[in-house]
Amino acid sequence: MGLEHLANALTLTNLALALFGVVAGTVIGSIPGLSATMAVAVLVPITFSMAPASALILLGAIYTGAIYGGAYSAILLNTPGTPSAIGTTFDGYPMAKRGDGDLAVAIACFASVFGGIVGALALLLLAPPLSSVALAFGPVEYLWLSIFGLSLIASLSTGNVLKGLAGGALGMLLSCVGVAEISADIRLTFGVSPMIGGIEVVGALIGLYCIPVLIDLVATPERHLKVEQGVRAVRVREAALIAWRSRLNLLRSSVIGTVIGILPGAGGSVAGLVAYSEAKRTARPDQKFGDGEPDGIMATESANNATVGGGFIPTLVLGIPGTPPDAVILGALLVQGVRTGPTLFDGGGSIVYTFIFGLFIATILMLPTGLLIGRYAYKTIVTIPKTILVPAVGFMTIIGTFAIRNSVSDVIIMIVLGSVGWVLSRFGFAASPIVLGLILGPIAEQGFVQAWIIGDATGNLAGMFFGRPISLAIIAFTILSLVYPVIQSRRAKRTLATQANLND
């Protein structure tokens, strides 16, 4: 972990690969449906002839760029470019609607760079000890982790919590369509063969977030986004000051993203939602999350970019992919003959540390690159006529959904879900709880069934579900996330009542 590895990362070739990877990843990630996994997978073949360290730097740069790129469409179109940007829509799009889309893009860039650096720093300093945490997670821990994620619906539901819980239940029901995770039973297909493959999460996400926006764009004559005195440049200084004032939120969210990234299968979407919920829980009374609050964007973007470095910890140390893009990168390394695992840091230390420094460089390059691309993306979205914007976005959603599994059925399901989502939004049901249930449903089901089988086989069901220390800690956090909003609401009511009495 010396200067020679930093010097290797700073060679002209590796710098060029890092820059190209960040640009390519950002552009691909900004297109709805083209996830970070797809961005990495599309460009993997060009790495086969490279040195292992250079290949890792390129793939890591593509990955981190794609995670950030998803914020563009989340902010400007209310459509997450990648699943990790779900939470960015909560406050990013309201900011864009009131004319602060340029500021939101800059805030997302600063938060992404900060989170990426924290994740890379954890990878550099804590990889071997932190990787053991991932091994301690069994099926029952993933069950309780998914239930903890579902408990966040209470925090994410603005207004009616019951409607949020109903949306989460609908999402979990939709996740049951198709072949069961463990038993391979075919469920809820109603005899329609294309439904056997289940509802593709990214396609459903595109439909639930994008189709309602397109319908509203067609139905309303006003401009898509407010523009004040022409189009301004991205507000870098203002965004930097806001980020500095919220540095504790950035640090907390980045740590959350790193820790969740270490857990195989959790990913940036879960990290972003958990960080958003925690930022909302600790918010000041004057902060209105869900109504264009910059701290909401910073929490989500710093957390989901921190999962990049966190996800590489189990990937490189244990050979267990932390996130889906890590699985693609792991495959690319195996093609080159690099064997990941506990001995990699000893036998292949030069490759690992050169890559880690390269990841730092790619993350830093994301700041000027992201701001520059964000400036032109913002200008394009706010000035383009609706007659061009709606067909273009509609075309991208169809192509993005089709490209995931090359399935026309996925496109039809996406359009149907989007139309249903638009109708539900008229009655006060938000898309976020539905998406959360859809993502976490399979994790909860698989964890429950596996834990039940193990507990039944050992004759200790209660001990299996409630006797493990990590499980008990997650259960405690789940109870806290459910009880705290109620306590906070009652406290706010008492404060208002006290103020009213004093005014009288």
Side-chain angles (χ1 to χ4, degrees):
M1 196 169 67
L3 292 176
E4 68 273 14
H5 300 129
L6 177 60
N8 290 337
L10 286 170
T11 61
L12 192 60
T13 300
N14 287 337
L15 285 175
L17 289 173
L19 180 61
F20 170 76
V22 168
V23 173
T26 302
V27 171
I28 295 174
S30 66
I31 301 173
L34 301 186
S35 63
T37 307
M38 196 174 296
V40 174
V42 165
L43 297 173
V44 155
I46 67 176
T47 67
F48 292 157
S49 60
M50 297 180 184
S54 298
L56 269 174
I57 289 172
L58 174 60
L59 295 175
I62 295 168
Y63 182 10
T64 194
I67 294 292
Y68 163 63
Y72 290 152
S73 54
I75 292 169
L76 302 176
L77 297 171
N78 197 35
T79 305
T82 62
S84 299
I86 292 172
T88 309
T89 62
F90 301 160
D91 291 286
Y93 188 60
M95 284 186 70
K97 288 184 72 175
R98 72 177 184 226
D100 289 328
D102 47 1
L103 178 61
V105 167
I107 289 171
C109 188
F110 279 110
S112 297
V113 171
F114 186 88
I117 289 175
V118 170
L121 195 62
L123 176 62
L124 179 66
L125 301 177
L126 305 173
L130 282 181
S131 61
S132 61
V133 175
L135 284 179
F137 266 67
V140 71
E141 280 78 18
Y142 280 106
L143 166 65
W144 289 118
L145 183 65
S146 61
I147 292 175
F148 171 64
L150 290 169
S151 72
L152 302 181
I153 289 174
S155 299
L156 299 177
S157 301
T158 53
N160 195 324
V161 175
L162 288 177
K163 288 183 178 179
L165 293 173
L170 175 61
M172 293 188 72
L173 185 64
L174 292 174
S175 73
C176 293
V177 174
V179 180
E181 292 284 335
I182 304 295
S183 64
D185 294 327
I186 297 176
R187 308 173 301 191
L188 302 176
T189 61
F190 304 103
V192 181
S193 56
M195 298 289 284
I196 294 175
I199 295 176
E200 214 289 318
V201 173
V202 177
L205 187 151
I206 293 171
L208 288 167
Y209 281 109
C210 192
I211 298 298
V213 173
L214 292 179
I215 293 173
D216 287 336
L217 284 175
V218 173
T220 55
E222 294 84 8
R223 252 187 191 277
H224 166 52
L225 302 174
K226 290 183 180 178
V227 184
E228 297 176 6
Q229 300 176 354
V231 180
R232 301 167 291 190
V234 174
R235 292 142 68 180
V236 177
R237 181 175 297 178
E238 188 178 350
L241 289 174
I242 292 173
W244 173 252
R245 286 198 297 267
S246 300
R247 54 190 179 276
L248 290 178
N249 178 28
L250 281 174
L251 182 60
R252 179 182 61 241
S253 302
S254 299
V255 171
I256 289 172
T258 302
V259 173
I260 291 180
I262 295 170
L263 308 177
S269 54
V270 176
L273 291 170
V274 172
Y276 183 89
S277 176
E278 185 62 21
K280 186 177 179 180
R281 187 181 67 81
T282 58
R284 301 187 307 271
D286 61 317
Q287 291 180 303
K288 296 182 179 179
F289 279 75
D291 199 27
E293 173 56 50
D295 269 31
I297 298 175
M298 284 188 282
T300 303
E301 287 300 309
S302 57
N304 62 30
N305 275 271
T307 60
V308 176
F312 275 117
I313 292 174
T315 304
L316 296 178
V317 178
L318 302 174
I320 302 171
T323 61
D326 290 325
V328 179
I329 294 172
L330 182 61
L333 289 176
L334 293 176
V335 169
Q336 292 199 337
V338 177
R339 292 291 181 267
T340 59
T343 60
L344 178 62
F345 279 74
D346 297 326
S350 176
I351 296 172
V352 174
Y353 290 117
T354 300
F355 159 65
I356 294 173
F357 284 119
L359 189 62
F360 271 109
I361 294 167
T363 305
I364 293 169
L365 287 174
M366 191 165 65
L367 183 61
T369 305
L371 290 172
L372 185 63
I373 296 175
R375 175 179 181 177
Y376 287 105
Y378 178 69
K379 284 185 175 182
T380 302
I381 295 296
V382 298
T383 57
I384 192 170
K386 280 188 180 182
T387 51
I388 298 175
L389 179 65
V390 173
V393 174
F395 176 76
M396 285 193 298
T397 59
I398 291 172
I399 293 299
T401 304
F402 178 80
I404 297 166
R405 297 194 299 194
N406 295 329
S407 172
V408 176
S409 301
D410 285 347
V411 177
I412 297 172
I413 292 171
M414 180 269 292
I415 295 172
V416 170
L417 283 178
S419 303
V420 172
W422 181 81
V423 173
L424 290 175
S425 69
R426 304 297 98 183
F427 292 95
F429 290 88
S432 302
I434 301 175
V435 171
L436 192 60
L438 192 61
I439 292 173
L440 295 178
I443 301 174
E445 179 188 1
Q446 185 172 346
F448 175 78
V449 174
Q450 289 179 339
W452 184 277
I453 292 172
I454 296 171
D456 187 50
T458 57
N460 187 18
L461 277 174
M464 187 66 195
F465 284 96
F466 302 102
R468 295 162 67 97
I470 297 178
S471 298
L472 293 175
I474 299 173
I475 291 170
F477 279 115
T478 303
I479 295 171
L480 179 64
S481 68
L482 290 171
V483 172
Y484 186 83
V486 177
I487 297 173
Q488 195 176 36
S489 176
R490 290 182 177 179
R491 188 181 299 167
K493 287 179 180 178
R494 283 199 300 267
T495 304
L496 290 174
T498 304
Q499 290 176 348
N501 292 332
L502 291 173
N503 291 334
D504 292 340

